[in-house]
Amino acid sequence: MTQLDAVEDSTVEGSALVFPDGFVWGTATAAYQIEGGAAEGGRTPSIWDTFSHTPGKVFAGDTGDVAADHYHRYRDDVALMAELGAAAYRFSTSWSRVIPTGTGPINREGIDFYSRLVDELLARNITPTLTLYHWDLPQELQDAGGWTVRDTAYRFADYAAVMADALGDRVAYWTTLNEPWCSAFLGYAAGVHAPGHTDGAEALAAVHHLLLGHGLAIQALRAALPAKAQLAITLNPAVARPATSSADDARAASKVDGLQNRIWLDPLFRGRYPDDVRAFTAEVSDWSHVQDGDLPIIATPIDVLGVNYYNPVIVAHYDGVKPRAHADGHGDGAGDPWPGCADVQFLDRPGRHTAMGWPVDATGLRDLLARLWSDHHTPMYITENGAAYDDVVDADGQVHDPERVQYLGEHFAAVHDAIADGADVRGYYVWSLLDNFEWSYGYSKRFGVVYVDFDSQERTTKDSGKFFARTARNNAVPTP
Ligand code: FCB
């Protein structure tokens, strides 16, 4: 019996893929990528302010100082979500807006901004889904060691408690971390994300302290929130496909699976780190950052798992000395995001690609959901999925983005297939509501289903936004 059995007979728009009743269609964003107002309302710099203001780190010197100006336009943006028929909104709160020094006194103005946003959402029947950490660590905490030190985990739990106290009466869906793989490996090993370090040992310490912070935050949230609260973490699991059936390629793919998937999933769901990962990273870290009693905290039960998916990767064994820049579509850093993986390489492949150079392949999403469901039996939400293309406003004043429409249609169908296979998937958040600051790519990559003119801040719903709206309204995707 799958979630779909009850809706088998329904038809919408003729032949359509109908989702289970109550399936949630939402849009997603993150604080630093859209808010702007970087120095307003008592906010102080996060590591992304520092990084983006460091010459050479972000495309064209772009920063999140103004971004999509959502800090001032949030009411209009919530109205846009309502027009899109979105039932939920996944956003993140900026730690340095709420607790400007990371550990100091609470900034009422910061809390009030999020409180007004939540009220605005509720007034339009949009469910707020709050992420506490989407990569923007207060700079003061980075100055004290950032995620390489244990103390940051405890400060994160304090911040979680502050947010639960402020918004727990109105927000029921809470996510601790967004894609901690990126925070740890792109931030501390590859150097392409803030804080821009290139040290594999630091990255592995960051993995552990992010997980510890997650576990402590879950405990703090559970203690402060009503019993109905749904608590989660969002990961970006790799769909790592070996290039050939050789044993060497299988081993290479298993290393990527270890460093991007099992290093998070095993502690979270099994209370232990994978032995093979500890073994192949022993050359860079002795793992002395793990203390007795940490793993049970990390394995504190969660209610749902957030899954971000963009594309699968093709992995092969590598013999010899390769250039250290990584080829998995996250930009070229000075560092290596894959500690202990000098014998692993990523291959490109023919076929469609997005403007990020990422291959388009929705089968990876179906496979991923099946695997996560069978391994962990935890209900899931797709908390991000989407694509960048080089959008323009046409002569007719519209943004026609057929490639994104096709991408979304294929991925909606893959989610439908995964549910039909038996996976418990409860919702889908498109990345992103708006074009925004795409990290080290600045404003050069557009992921929105709504176009943003960054000079005038004018918003234009793209064809993909209309396609999303139709899907959300019908709770069904027309069969391609
Ligand atoms: C994810 C991030 C999100 C956005 C998309 C394209 O890794 O969580 O902020 O950058 O990629």
Side-chain angles (χ1 to χ4, degrees):
M1 170 92 179
T2 77
Q3 288 169 286
L4 285 171
D5 291 346
V7 293
E8 234 164 28
D9 296 330
S10 349
T11 50
V12 175
E13 296 190 5
S15 167
L17 298 175
V18 183
F19 281 73
D21 277 348
F23 189 84
V24 174
W25 294 95
T27 64
T29 64
Y32 191 69
Q33 296 181 273
I34 62 161
E35 281 182 8
E40 288 178 64
R43 183 183 179 280
T44 56
S46 75
I47 54 175
W48 267 98
D49 296 86
T50 308
F51 191 74
S52 64
H53 280 270
T54 306
K57 297 298 184 192
V58 172
F59 175 84
D62 290 344
T63 73
D65 288 1
V66 178
D69 196 32
H70 173 78
Y71 185 66
H72 298 111
R73 295 168 195 265
Y74 70 92
R75 280 203 179 83
D76 295 344
D77 290 340
V78 173
L80 265 175
M81 295 172 212
E83 274 173 37
L84 292 177
Y89 176 48
R90 173 180 184 251
F91 63 100
S92 79
T93 51
S94 154
W95 188 343
S96 47
R97 200 179 277 297
V98 171
I99 308 176
T101 55
T103 61
I106 299 167
N107 175 30
R108 254 346 309 168
E109 258 189 282
I111 298 272
D112 288 350
F113 168 67
Y114 294 112
S115 189
R116 288 195 306 273
L117 171 64
V118 164
D119 286 344
E120 194 70 24
L121 290 164
L122 293 174
R124 290 190 181 266
N125 277 321
I126 298 172
T127 304
T129 304
L130 189 155
T131 298
L132 288 164
Y133 188 73
H134 202 123
W135 307 350
D136 44 359
L137 188 71
Q139 183 60 44
E140 286 80 357
L141 293 182
Q142 181 55 44
D143 296 342
W147 289 109
T148 69
V149 298
R150 272 181 91 75
D151 190 58
T152 301
Y154 290 88
R155 300 295 72 80
F156 180 63
D158 294 344
Y159 157 57
V162 165
M163 296 312 296
D165 185 47
L167 302 177
D169 57 335
R170 286 159 291 156
V171 176
Y173 292 84
W174 294 75
T175 299
T176 54
L177 306 173
N178 175 71
E179 299 192 5
W181 181 84
C182 296
S183 299
F185 292 104
L186 298 184
Y188 289 92
V192 293
H193 279 192
H197 295 194
T198 53
D199 183 322
E202 282 193 11
L204 290 166
V207 166
H208 184 64
H209 298 134
L210 283 156
L211 281 169
L212 182 62
H214 155 82
L216 293 165
I218 290 288
Q219 294 182 348
L221 293 172
R222 199 68 86 188
L225 293 171
K228 67 173 194 320
Q230 295 284 294
L231 308 186
I233 187 171
T234 277
L235 303 177
N236 58 324
V239 177
R241 292 179 169 158
T244 70
S245 56
S246 77
D248 278 349
D249 287 352
R251 211 166 21 247
S254 159
K255 279 185 150 184
V256 171
D257 179 59
L259 266 190
Q260 197 167 332
N261 302 339
R262 291 178 288 109
I263 200 172
W264 311 103
L265 293 163
D266 284 15
L268 287 166
F269 292 107
R270 304 195 165 119
R272 57 190 314 256
Y273 282 108
D275 292 335
D276 62 320
V277 174
R278 289 187 73 136
F280 75 70
T281 57
E283 64 188 66
V284 286
S285 171
D286 62 6
W287 287 70
S288 56
H289 44 258
V290 181
Q291 296 188 6
D292 284 352
D294 288 354
L295 281 155
I297 295 171
I298 293 169
T300 305
I302 54 177
D303 303 298
V304 289
L305 177 63
V307 178
N308 291 357
Y309 172 84
Y310 290 90
N311 57 272
V313 288
I314 310 287
V315 185
H317 174 73
Y318 188 82
D319 244 336
V321 182
K322 65 177 176 193
R324 291 291 5 148
H326 64 303
D328 59 352
H330 284 98
D332 293 337
D336 176 10
W338 299 101
C341 295
D343 54 351
V344 170
Q345 64 177 326
F346 294 89
L347 303 183
D348 197 12
R349 51 177 229 181
R352 287 181 288 148
H353 289 75
T354 70
M356 298 295 284
W358 298 348
V360 178
D361 184 352
T363 65
L365 180 54
R366 180 180 185 169
D367 292 353
L368 175 63
L369 293 169
R371 178 243 175 121
L372 291 172
W373 177 248
S374 112
D375 285 0
H376 305 292
H377 250 74
T378 300
M380 293 173 282
Y381 284 82
I382 309 303
T383 38
E384 283 181 30
N385 174 244
Y389 289 104
D390 296 326
D391 307 307
V392 289
V393 181
D394 242 312
D396 62 358
Q398 305 290 310
V399 179
H400 302 298
D401 56 342
E403 292 167 301
R404 186 178 292 101
V405 170
Q406 188 182 357
Y407 179 100
L408 292 181
E410 290 171 0
H411 287 75
F412 296 163
V415 176
H416 188 274
D417 288 345
I419 295 172
D421 293 343
D424 182 349
V425 187
R426 301 192 174 174
Y428 173 103
Y429 292 82
V430 68
W431 185 270
S432 177
L433 172 67
L434 303 170
D435 291 339
N436 60 47
F437 176 80
E438 178 48 35
W439 309 112
S440 58
Y441 296 88
Y443 298 99
S444 68
K445 302 296 175 204
R446 295 180 174 274
F447 273 92
V449 294
V450 173
Y451 182 92
V452 177
D453 176 329
F454 290 104
D455 295 324
S456 65
Q457 292 294 345
E458 198 183 322
R459 275 89 161 124
T460 306
T461 299
K462 302 177 191 177
D463 286 354
S464 58
K466 296 172 191 166
F467 178 70
F468 172 88
R470 206 146 58 93
T471 307
R473 196 170 48 242
N474 293 334
N475 196 29
V477 215
T479 309

